[in-house]
Amino acid sequence: MEAIAKNFIIYVSSITVSLSYCYFVSSKIPKGIYRFISLIPIFYIFTILPLRCTYVFTTAICFSFTTWLMNFKLIRFAFDLDESPYRRSDSLLRFITVASLPVKTKSTDSTSVNTSPERSWYKLGLQNLIFSILVSTVNNYRDRFHPDIVLVIYCGLLFLIIDIIAGVGAALVLFLTGLELEPSSNEPYLATSLQNFWGRWNLLVTKTLRYTVYKPVRSGFSDNKWAPHAGVLSSFFVSGLMHELFVYQLSREDPTWEMTSFFVIHGICVVVEMIMKSNLAGGRWRLPKFLATLLTVGFVVVTGLWLFFPPLIRTQVDVKVLMEHASFVDFIKTTLYSMTQKSQIHV
């Protein structure tokens, strides 16, 4: 716990100092390539910061917020793209908050998900229960299951852990600052197409790529009819590279490019789907909803078993995460038991 506390202090201090530099120095440089160059040291710091983490779980969280979220927000800040975290009227504290967290903005976003607080707490509790059951099942009965069944359970755990972390984080930020965070997903298991699935899954990544990759690439192609397709392919390719870096930071093993291949294949399939939709009955023809959902989720799961999970399994990232979860649960139990014993003694 001392190591975690020390790394947390270094993590928060590094972010605060780095974003203060962005606010006081980089913001004075005109937007464009020169401001981008001034941010290169910060990009480097935010990329290597997760390597200081000693646990897979903390590495994953650190990567998600620094290497991915903050770096891509600073790209928007460098070129003053849509949803840039910087406004001249903002205070330093607000700039740091908006740059380091997926804070909701006033602008309307098609990916917004309106959920009542009561439903959010109910959903979070249910997700924690299901997550605990699945983790317990894998820990106790892994040897009795076919490896593919274990991987399917991992698919569910991946979705749940992203939603749980986002839900807990949103609750803490709302309590401490009064600010709302963007939702993590929008029921991707109900997607009726690959395009629809990736518009529902991991909305933080989707929104980040939309503003930093998709829109600039599409604008670069001007009025070319292939501009949206080029934007989609570029977005999936960049996502693949980022996930490849993510796997490297979790495992500290050389990349195998399976993760990149997974996203490139999905990018190509989404483009093919877009073309087919526009050419079949003027885009009005659709498969029955149940069948479309079954085929969509099935394709995601099959390709995930083929390319997404193998690099994580091969480097035993899954085993390390489950061990860390068990250790955390034991720590909570021990702490609660100790507190109970102390309270009984005082009574």
Side-chain angles (χ1 to χ4, degrees):
M1 293 303 295
E2 287 185 13
I4 293 177
K6 181 180 179 181
N7 284 335
F8 180 75
I9 293 173
I10 294 174
Y11 175 72
V12 173
S13 301
S14 299
I15 290 172
T16 302
V17 172
S18 297
L19 292 181
S20 297
Y21 163 82
C22 298
Y23 183 84
F24 288 112
V25 178
S26 296
S27 65
K28 303 300 186 291
I29 302 173
K31 66 178 182 180
I33 190 63
Y34 292 111
R35 184 186 290 182
F36 179 84
I37 292 173
S38 75
L39 293 172
I40 289 177
I42 310 303
F43 292 139
Y44 175 74
I45 291 171
F46 286 173
T47 299
I48 67 169
L49 204 53
L51 295 174
R52 288 195 56 87
C53 299
T54 53
Y55 295 96
V56 171
F57 189 74
T58 52
T59 301
I61 294 178
C62 185
F63 178 92
S64 300
F65 280 92
T66 54
T67 307
W68 194 300
L69 175 65
M70 293 185 212
N71 271 347
F72 277 79
K73 279 202 171 186
L74 290 181
I75 292 174
R76 295 188 221 171
F77 164 62
F79 298 98
D80 198 19
L81 302 176
D82 292 342
E83 299 292 326
S84 170
Y86 179 71
R87 298 288 182 275
R88 293 185 183 278
S89 59
D90 284 348
S91 64
L92 172 62
L93 179 60
R94 180 168 178 80
F95 174 76
I96 291 175
T97 302
V98 175
S100 59
L101 295 171
V103 177
K104 275 188 177 181
T105 58
K106 293 182 180 180
S107 61
T108 302
D109 193 334
S110 59
T111 60
S112 294
V113 182
N114 296 317
T115 306
S116 64
E118 295 80 9
R119 185 183 175 189
S120 296
W121 283 112
Y122 172 78
K123 179 181 177 183
L124 186 60
L126 181 61
Q127 287 177 330
N128 273 285
L129 176 61
I130 297 173
F131 182 82
S132 298
I133 292 173
L134 290 179
V135 169
S136 178
T137 301
V138 172
N139 281 334
N140 296 325
Y141 304 104
R142 179 201 299 267
D143 296 337
R144 302 183 187 181
F145 291 142
H146 189 279
D148 288 343
I149 302 245
V150 175
L151 290 180
V152 170
I153 294 176
Y154 283 166
C155 290
L157 289 174
L158 178 63
F159 165 72
L160 288 170
I161 194 62
I162 291 175
D163 255 25
I164 289 171
I165 292 173
V168 173
L172 287 174
V173 171
L174 182 63
F175 175 75
L176 295 173
T177 68
L179 297 172
E180 288 187 75
L181 299 189
E182 294 283 355
S184 60
S185 63
N186 182 19
E187 301 178 327
Y189 44 83
L190 298 180
T192 55
S193 68
L194 282 179
Q195 187 178 8
N196 184 230
F197 175 86
W198 290 110
R200 290 169 172 264
W201 170 261
N202 206 338
L203 300 181
L204 168 61
V205 171
T206 300
K207 185 174 181 178
T208 297
L209 292 172
R210 181 186 303 119
Y211 290 123
T212 55
V213 181
Y214 176 79
K215 284 190 173 183
V217 170
R218 183 172 180 172
S219 299
F221 278 78
S222 188
D223 296 327
N224 191 301
K225 68 176 183 177
W226 298 107
H229 305 132
V232 168
L233 289 175
S234 299
S235 298
F236 274 93
F237 179 66
V238 171
S239 182
L241 293 178
M242 291 300 295
H243 279 83
E244 203 75 54
L245 178 60
F246 180 56
V247 174
Y248 168 75
Q249 295 207 357
L250 293 180
S251 65
R252 314 295 162 93
E253 299 283 346
D254 292 337
T256 60
W257 306 109
E258 290 164 285
M259 197 67 75
T260 303
S261 299
F262 171 83
F263 284 95
V264 169
I265 288 173
H266 274 259
I268 293 171
C269 289
V270 168
V271 169
V272 171
E273 183 182 273
M274 291 168 64
I275 295 172
M276 290 179 64
K277 283 181 179 178
S278 63
N279 291 327
L280 291 175
R284 294 188 297 273
W285 185 84
R286 293 288 187 275
L287 286 171
K289 187 174 181 179
F290 172 77
L291 181 58
T293 299
L294 185 63
L295 290 174
T296 299
V297 176
F299 181 80
V300 173
V301 170
V302 170
T303 52
L305 300 183
W306 173 34
L307 292 169
F308 189 93
F309 287 103
L312 298 173
I313 305 296
R314 193 181 305 116
T315 54
Q316 295 192 316
V317 169
D318 61 319
V319 176
K320 294 173 185 175
V321 170
L322 293 174
M323 289 175 61
E324 289 174 11
H325 177 267
S327 297
F328 178 73
V329 171
D330 289 340
F331 172 77
I332 295 296
K333 289 180 179 178
T334 302
T335 303
L336 291 176
Y337 177 77
S338 177
M339 292 173 62
T340 303
Q341 292 296 103
K342 289 180 180 179
S343 64
Q344 290 177 350
I345 292 173
H346 287 299
V347 172

